[in-house]
Amino acid sequence: MSGQELQVQENKNGGEVKQERILKIDFKMVTFSLAGKDYGIDIMNVKEIAKANRFTYVPNTAAFVRGVYNLRGEIIPVIDFRIFFHLPAEQKDENAMENLLIVRKDEQIYGIIVDSIDKVVGVSSEQIQPPHPIFGDINIRYIKGVVEHQGRLYIILDVNRIFSQEEERKRTSIEAEGLPLYTPPAMEGTTPARGEGREGPNQSVPLEVNFIKETLFALKHFATTAMNEKWVLARYEEWKKERQTSDAVQLKDLDDAEAFLKPFYSPYTDQFWGDDYAAAVRSLLPDMPGKTITVWNPGCGKGFETFSFACILRERYPEHRIKIWASDSDLLAISSAPTMAFEYEVFPEYCRPFLVKGKYGYGFNQVIKDAILFEYHDIRNNNPYVDLDIIVARDILSFMSPEEQSKILSDFDEKLKASGLLLIGSHEELPAEEWQFIGKAPVALYSKAK
């Protein structure tokens, strides 16, 4: 019997057999509290617990990043889970000690601030139930499951998903059968487009399409707005043919959402841009006045996009000084971006003139590296960049709430020069009254409308 052992006893009166299940403890978690609720993290992710204060502030980081902490010589980022999950936090004295969970995700170490740390609890993994949308105070994407133990209900958080977007590809269950679909507050009655005000769910399309839109937001934070609705509707028609039966059309879990969105991503996402796409981008870049070209690449991830664009710019504008601010809210990705190294064959042709051979393989030469500043930054916070010539923001806007999309687009408009260019995702579209499309599919390049 999987996960359990069956104990069989025979009583003294003979004959009757008493069967008692003994749970097999195969999952241990470190439990803690946040805003009065009980949570757990797989003990395999927990390195140690500690008390600490006076974290070193890091400018231009998200509000939930309290700073960095020197853990016996290793500098680690410190995340305040109360702020990260938008939970109420007790106002403490500056010198008060914080409860710190030191967790590991692959080779990276993070500090997590919680209200209190309780104990280690062992349960059977068969007791763990999938997360339910009613746990609305924490995004369901970050919940591995829930389990009851000695009269207390623990919400088990998934450290891997919290600290890495890549890990989101792993399975999160929402057993949608019999459960209500989660409708995020931001989507209730609103699918705004820039310049068009806010409008309710599109009543001109089948109701099941609106369910898909809501599920995409709940599972992937993909917000359907005028920017991408055309693609969503076209994809829905394809999706129906792929699924064949009406019962299979709705998105029941993260795997379904990933499958639905798979064709959405721009060419060469999370890899070096291919020679064909790079050539298409390069052909659209106009002559640039001045001596310096300034670029902002939010959502740069592991740096493939940034290095690709840096090589294109270096080739297109050999006489210009190039400066690229590359930022991302994925701490793990952004920390490894500057030092990437691969076999020579991995790099497309247009990148090869800018390579040098190092100890661990080929990487980019100092000219390219000096042009890029990788830094941790959450685009939803204040963005300090000004007088930009180009912004490269492929696909990231669609994974923001409608309010955030509107705010960031306004920010882009403000920070770009009058002649500035905005490169967005291949399946994203901007309103013609504010942005002029100057690209050629699949390159979605825009300039400000005159």
Side-chain angles (χ1 to χ4, degrees), residues 16-86:
E16 294 185 7
V17 176
K18 179 181 179 182
Q19 296 182 342
E20 181 181 352
R21 295 182 188 279
I22 300 177
L23 293 176
K24 181 180 180 180
I25 306 301
D26 60 356
F27 180 82
K28 292 185 177 180
M29 58 185 178
V30 178
T31 62
F32 58 94
S33 67
L34 283 171
K37 286 188 177 180
D38 295 317
Y39 295 88
I41 286 179
D42 189 339
I43 197 171
M44 299 304 293
N45 290 118
V46 180
K47 183 174 184 289
E48 61 186 89
I49 61 177
K51 279 186 174 290
N53 64 356
R54 294 188 175 183
F55 309 110
T56 302
Y57 173 71
V58 180
N60 199 31
T61 56
F64 57 79
V65 179
R66 287 283 296 276
V68 295
Y69 176 63
N70 188 336
L71 181 68
R72 296 187 293 278
E74 184 175 5
I75 305 301
I76 64 172
V78 177
I79 309 299
D80 192 327
F81 262 14
R82 298 166 301 197
I83 302 175
F84 185 86
F85 292 124
H86 307 288

Side-chain angles (χ1 to χ4, degrees), residues 158-176:
D158 191 324
V159 169
N160 291 331
R161 287 205 186 101
I162 292 172
F163 289 109
S164 172
Q165 295 178 7
E166 285 295 321
E167 294 297 329
E168 287 183 342
R169 299 180 187 279
K170 295 181 179 178
R171 187 180 182 82
T172 292
S173 314
I174 292 183
E175 298 299 340

Side-chain angles (χ1 to χ4, degrees), residues 241-291:
K241 296 176 182 175
E242 293 174 14
R243 290 306 173 111
Q244 296 184 342
T245 66
S246 58
D247 291 343
V249 169
Q250 286 303 314
L251 310 178
K252 295 183 178 180
D253 54 31
L254 189 58
D255 286 344
D256 281 351
E258 289 279 10
F260 188 93
L261 290 177
K262 188 175 181 179
F264 174 78
Y265 300 103
S266 296
Y268 304 105
T269 295
D270 291 335
Q271 55 185 302
F272 293 116
W273 291 356
D275 288 303
D276 55 340
Y277 186 77
V281 172
R282 184 171 53 242
S283 68
L284 295 169
L285 295 176
D287 292 337
M288 289 282 189
K291 297 181 179 179

Side-chain angles (χ1 to χ4, degrees), residues 51-326:
K51 279 186 174 290
N53 64 356
R54 294 188 175 183
F55 309 110
T56 302
Y57 173 71
V58 180
N60 199 31
T61 56
F64 57 79
V65 179
R66 287 283 296 276
V68 295
Y69 176 63
N70 188 336
L71 181 68
R72 296 187 293 278
E74 184 175 5
I75 305 301
I76 64 172
V78 177
I79 309 299
D80 192 327
F81 262 14
R82 298 166 301 197
I83 302 175
F84 185 86
F85 292 124
H86 307 288
L87 299 173
E90 179 186 355
Q91 190 69 31
K92 289 187 174 182
D93 182 85
E94 184 179 349
N95 296 321
M97 303 294 282
E98 298 278 14
N99 294 297
L100 209 58
L101 274 169
I102 310 298
V103 302
R104 63 165 66 86
K105 196 277 175 187
D106 298 330
E107 300 300 319
Q108 299 293 315
I109 305 295
Y110 301 88
I112 295 172
I113 295 175
V114 297
D115 287 343
S116 64
I117 299 171
D118 189 11
K119 57 188 174 183
V120 175
V121 170
V123 298
S124 167
S125 57
E126 293 190 352
Q127 291 180 287
I128 301 174
Q129 302 295 313
H132 190 288
I134 64 172
F135 296 117
D137 49 357
I138 283 186
N139 194 311
I140 198 170
R141 294 180 301 164
Y142 302 136
I143 301 177
K144 178 181 290 186
V146 295
V147 63
E148 185 177 6
H149 178 75
Q150 295 182 349
R152 297 170 71 173
L153 185 66
Y154 292 95
I155 301 171
I156 304 171
L157 299 180
D158 191 324
V159 169
N160 291 331
R161 287 205 186 101
I162 292 172
F163 289 109
S164 172
Q165 295 178 7
E166 285 295 321
E167 294 297 329
E168 287 183 342
R169 299 180 187 279
K170 295 181 179 178
R171 187 180 182 82
T172 292
S173 314
I174 292 183
E175 298 299 340
E177 187 174 355
L179 297 179
L181 287 171
Y182 171 65
T183 303
M187 293 292 290
E188 290 179 348
T190 61
T191 48
R194 286 186 357 129
E196 295 182 357
R198 303 173 66 80
E199 58 189 34
N202 193 333
Q203 301 299 322
S204 64
V205 298
L207 184 61
E208 57 191 13
V209 179
N210 285 328
F211 284 153
I212 285 179
K213 293 177 184 177
E214 293 167 358
T215 311
L216 286 174
F217 191 86
L219 293 174
K220 291 291 296 178
H221 210 69
F222 179 96
T224 304
T225 65
M227 176 185 297
N228 51 38
E229 187 172 36
K230 187 183 298 182
W231 180 87
V232 172
L233 296 179
R235 175 58 179 147
Y236 168 71
E237 296 301 323
E238 295 176 353
W239 182 252
K240 283 198 299 184
K241 296 176 182 175
E242 293 174 14
R243 290 306 173 111
Q244 296 184 342
T245 66
S246 58
D247 291 343
V249 169
Q250 286 303 314
L251 310 178
K252 295 183 178 180
D253 54 31
L254 189 58
D255 286 344
D256 281 351
E258 289 279 10
F260 188 93
L261 290 177
K262 188 175 181 179
F264 174 78
Y265 300 103
S266 296
Y268 304 105
T269 295
D270 291 335
Q271 55 185 302
F272 293 116
W273 291 356
D275 288 303
D276 55 340
Y277 186 77
V281 172
R282 184 171 53 242
S283 68
L284 295 169
L285 295 176
D287 292 337
M288 289 282 189
K291 297 181 179 179
T292 300
I293 298 173
T294 55
V295 180
W296 179 25
N297 178 204
C300 68
K302 296 180 179 179
F304 292 100
E305 183 174 77
T306 313
F307 279 119
S308 298
F309 197 58
C311 291
I312 293 170
L313 291 178
R314 188 72 279 156
E315 186 181 51
R316 174 65 178 85
Y317 308 105
E319 304 300 325
H320 284 68
R321 179 177 179 267
I322 295 168
K323 188 62 186 176
I324 303 176
W325 286 282

Side-chain angles (χ1 to χ4, degrees), residues 428-445:
E428 295 174 330
E429 186 176 349
L430 298 182
E433 64 272 21
E434 298 176 45
W435 297 91
Q436 181 182 0
F437 181 71
I438 59 173
K440 183 179 180 181
V443 180
L445 187 66

